Amino acid sequence: MRRATFRRAAIKKSTSVKDSTLRRTALVSVYDKTGIAEFARELLKRGFELISTGGTQKLLEENKIPSRKVEDITGFPEILKGRVKTLHPNIFAGILADKDNRHHSDDLEKHDLGKIDLVVVNLYPFEDTIASSHSLKEAIEQIDIGGVALIRAGAKNFGSVNVIVSPEAYDSFLKTFDETEGKIPFEYSLKLARKAFERTSKYDNAINNYMFEISAGKKVEPYPQNILPSEESCVQLRYGENPHQKGVLIKEDFDQIFEVLHGKELSYNNLLDIDAAYNLIGEFKSDRPACAIIKHGNPSGAALGNDLQSAYNRAFETDTLSPFGGIIIVNKKLDFKTSIDIDKLFTEIILAPDFDNDALNLLKKKKNRRLIRFNFTERKIELRNITGGILMQEKDNFEIGTDDLKFVTKKKASDREKEDLLFAFKIVKHTKSNAVVFVKDFMTLAIGGGQPSRIDSTRIAISKAKEFGHSLEGSSVASDAFFPFADGLIELAKAGAKYVIQPGGSVKDEDVIRAADEYGVAMCFTGVRHFRH
């Protein structure tokens, strides 16, 4: 069979566009054919010659849109039921040739090959296939090879080639083409290339996740889907943790969870505190009215109440100094009565699932205060950047119930006291280690955390309780990890605590249990640790 090439010599000025526009070639091969016929017509009007494959070529033909078959360029038919069609030097040379490289131009001329200026490709629907009922064979057939190769080739050579990977980009490309009379700006080509690499990265990531699940023999989430940021997802912050550090927010579904209703832009530190507040209040999304106050990533107070007003005032009462400049979050629609109390305090941010109109109008009067509406959702994976790599883990979504409480002391707790223990354990889960939290009647009395030793955290908590006039007599205490020695248990017992919840598991457990019995403390083990570094 004689090879039919698309020749460099065939490039000529088009009569259908302005004289400054040279004839170009577009390779069109799409699975998602949304809008492709209309886009192809517009390309023809702008002087493009079209090359297409398989189903795309058939659709164009049905719509009376002229295009050349890929096999006319390669001199080779599609084989293996479409698995091999574009993977050929006659195609990839035209895409990868750098227009400013004389040697590339010489090679094209030597082999009688033309240049491809636009690559319009979208991929087999692998993600949709594995999201529905499917067999392994069906999933494998939806792993695109040629399409990914075409996209990567076009994106690599973005200085000479434009690449479009989504129907959403058709109108934007045509508009840019017309505004620049066909001289597509470097910045726009670079943007298309970034979109292309973003698409192939996420596509490969989905395949990797699927293969990981196959090898593990169960449903897993080894990597988040949106690990590579898109241009639209990056929000420049004023600075990072400190003014001399630059900062950026890379959004995934941030805008679906949070809606900023009022106030100046969020800072890096604001966002860290918002995350801490949101994670804590998530423990009470279906509970009675709850409020938490966060300062520098730690709760300064948290409480349940018969209504939001009592929940807020009880949370504030824990520590009446630290909430200044902090973050307040509630689990119910913020009503006007509660907003009057909150408005008396200077706070950076107030978060609620919703706001009464009167509450919103009142709180908006302070222009620097941020007001944020949020939706409850559940995250499964969390990432942390470290020197030399990225740490990834399952999020600590483990929930403890009364049936999980194993009392190891002579004294036991009543059902009501067990509820306080569970409340304390939810708060300690969101306090920096080593953490201890004293509570009574669903209100925090004292919080200690972030210290090198647990006994230091205990002493700080007791000291703060004295500072704010809270009696710890008869209180319940949660510890995020086991007591390595009995001294920590003795310290909180002397302060008045009568009920303790902790994971257990220390080699000194027997000593700790013995001390609890001596001081008349009811202590239960959960078998679950809640470190928060």
Side-chain angles (χ1 to χ4, degrees):
M1 175 168 29
R2 184 176 180 276
R3 173 166 56 86
T5 61
F6 58 112
R7 300 172 179 273
R8 227 170 26 92
I11 296 176
K12 61 184 180 181
K13 289 189 176 183
S14 170
T15 57
S16 59
V17 291
K18 295 183 179 181
D19 290 342
S20 62
T21 303
L22 295 177
R23 189 159 189 82
R24 295 168 168 83
T25 301
L27 173 63
V28 183
S29 179
V30 294
Y31 183 90
D32 180 357
K33 297 176 176 57
T34 304
I36 193 61
E38 295 79 2
F39 184 53
R41 284 198 187 92
E42 293 300 322
L43 291 177
L44 288 175
K45 291 178 185 177
R46 289 159 176 79
F48 279 86
E49 178 185 13
L50 304 180
I51 304 169
S52 59
T53 64
T56 305
Q57 199 278 331
K58 182 180 179 182
L59 177 67
L60 296 180
E61 189 176 73
E62 290 171 353
N63 284 272
K64 298 182 170 47
I65 299 171
S67 68
R68 300 182 66 186
K69 295 180 180 179
V70 163
E71 60 194 66
D72 292 339
I73 309 302
T74 63
F76 203 89
E78 292 185 13
I79 61 172
L80 306 182
K81 292 188 176 180
R83 279 194 174 190
V84 178
K85 48 192 172 189
T86 57
L87 297 169
H88 196 282
N90 290 3
I91 296 295
F92 280 87
I95 297 173
L96 287 166
D98 182 349
K99 66 182 179 184
D100 297 322
N101 187 310
R102 180 175 57 83
H103 297 293
H104 289 191
S105 299
D106 290 346
D107 278 346
L108 290 181
E109 186 170 6
K110 177 181 177 181
H111 296 284
D112 200 19
L113 298 173
K115 193 172 182 316
I116 293 175
D117 306 279
L118 175 65
V119 174
V120 184
V121 173
N122 56 60
L123 305 174
Y124 293 163
F126 179 81
E127 297 99 328
D128 291 343
T129 299
I130 61 172
S132 58
S133 178
H134 66 278
S135 65
L136 176 60
K137 183 177 181 180
E138 288 170 331
I140 289 173
E141 283 305 314
Q142 294 305 315
I143 298 177
D144 207 316
I145 303 300
V148 172
L150 291 168
I151 290 172
R152 288 180 60 84
K156 172 179 178 175
N157 197 26
F158 70 90
S160 300
V161 179
N162 288 300
V163 56
I164 295 176
V165 296
S166 169
E168 285 76 21
Y170 295 163
D171 288 343
S172 172
F173 178 81
L174 295 173
K175 181 181 178 183
T176 303
F177 187 95
D178 292 343
E179 288 175 347
T180 61
E181 298 184 349
K183 298 176 182 177
I184 303 294
F186 173 88
E187 293 77 13
Y188 185 76
S189 296
L190 176 59
K191 179 180 178 180
L192 291 178
R194 285 194 69 236
K195 282 285 188 184
F197 282 123
E198 177 189 348
R199 177 67 187 115
T200 58
S201 176
K202 290 179 179 179
Y203 193 75
D204 284 342
N205 193 54
I207 297 169
N208 181 36
N209 283 3
Y210 180 74
M211 296 297 186
F212 195 98
E213 291 173 4
I214 296 296
S215 61
K218 61 181 180 179
K219 183 73 175 176
V220 292
E221 284 194 62
Y223 301 102
Q225 293 292 322
N226 297 321
I227 197 167
L228 182 73
S230 66
E231 184 176 359
E232 290 77 11
S233 71
C234 294
V235 177
Q236 191 75 37
L237 303 174
R238 287 177 60 203
Y239 52 81
E241 205 162 6
N242 298 290
H244 62 275
Q245 297 170 271
K246 293 182 179 179
V248 174
L249 166 63
I250 301 171
K251 295 182 179 180
E252 291 183 313
D253 53 354
F254 185 89
D255 292 334
Q256 283 73 56
I257 300 171
F258 301 103
E259 180 185 3
V260 180
L261 303 176
H262 172 74
K264 60 184 181 180
E265 66 178 293
L266 296 169
S267 71
Y268 185 96
N269 292 329
N270 288 157
L271 291 161
L272 289 175
D273 282 341
I274 286 170
D275 186 58
Y278 180 77
N279 287 329
L280 192 156
I281 208 68
E283 301 284 349
F284 306 102
K285 58 187 173 185
S286 58
D287 216 312
R288 52 193 277 203
C291 176
I293 304 174
I294 304 296
K295 190 72 175 290
H296 296 297
N298 272 314
S300 69
L304 303 184
N306 294 326
D307 52 36
L308 278 185
Q309 188 177 32
S310 65
Y312 164 70
N313 284 310
R314 300 179 85 227
F316 176 70
E317 189 181 335
T318 303
D319 176 345
T320 57
L321 292 181
S322 296
F324 183 84
I327 289 182
I328 297 172
I329 190 165
V330 295
N331 68 339
K332 308 290 183 186
K333 185 177 185 178
L334 186 59
D335 59 273
F336 184 59
K337 281 197 313 178
T338 308
S339 72
I340 292 174
D341 287 352
I342 290 176
D343 189 56
K344 297 172 185 175
L345 177 71
F346 167 69
T347 52
E348 290 275 355
I349 302 169
I350 301 169
L351 298 103
D354 205 354
F355 295 78
D356 280 346
N357 288 333
D358 289 344
L360 200 57
N361 291 334
L362 173 66
L363 297 172
K364 278 184 175 180
K365 290 181 179 179
K366 293 181 180 176
K367 64 179 183 179
N368 289 334
R369 173 191 283 153
R370 291 87 157 181
L371 304 176
I372 298 176
R373 181 161 51 208
F374 68 86
N375 298 310
F376 284 111
T377 186
E378 185 174 296
R379 315 299 287 179
K380 295 182 179 179
I381 297 293
E382 57 186 10
L383 302 174
R384 291 180 70 178
N385 186 273
I386 61 169
T387 302
I390 296 175
L391 289 174
M392 181 179 64
Q393 67 173 354
E394 287 182 296
K395 196 166 177 60
D396 186 3
N397 293 326
F398 199 93
E399 294 184 5
I400 295 292
T402 53
D403 291 342
D404 300 305
L405 306 183
K406 179 187 176 185
F407 281 88
V408 292
T409 51
K410 296 174 183 176
K411 182 179 178 180
K412 314 301 179 188
S414 68
D415 289 345
R416 174 62 191 82
E417 290 151 354
K418 288 177 183 178
E419 290 179 349
D420 256 0
L421 287 171
L422 292 173
F423 173 76
F425 209 51
K426 288 181 178 180
I427 305 303
V428 83
K429 177 179 175 181
H430 298 276
T431 306
K432 296 285 181 68
S433 296
N434 294 296
V436 291
V437 174
F438 289 78
V439 310
K440 193 170 186 180
D441 296 330
F442 302 111
M443 169 185 161
T444 53
L445 300 175
I447 299 172
Q451 300 304 307
S453 74
R454 191 162 308 280
I455 196 165
D456 286 343
S457 294
T458 303
R459 288 168 178 164
I460 288 172
I462 294 169
S463 173
K464 290 181 77 69
K466 291 178 181 178
E467 180 182 358
F468 295 105
H470 299 310
S471 170
L472 299 180
E473 191 62 40
S475 61
S476 297
V477 179
S479 173
D480 65 341
F482 60 63
F483 290 96
F485 301 99
D487 55 355
L489 185 284
I490 293 170
E491 195 82 18
L492 60 88
K494 286 181 177 180
K498 293 299 180 184
Y499 310 95
V500 173
I501 183 172
Q502 61 135 318
S506 168
V507 295
K508 299 288 186 178
D509 272 350
E510 290 302 320
D511 292 345
V512 178
I513 294 169
R514 191 178 305 112
D517 283 336
E518 288 175 4
Y519 282 88
V521 172
M523 182 170 65
C524 64
F525 287 175
T526 65
V528 177
R529 189 182 72 188
H530 285 309
F531 269 163
R532 183 167 176 260
H533 280 70

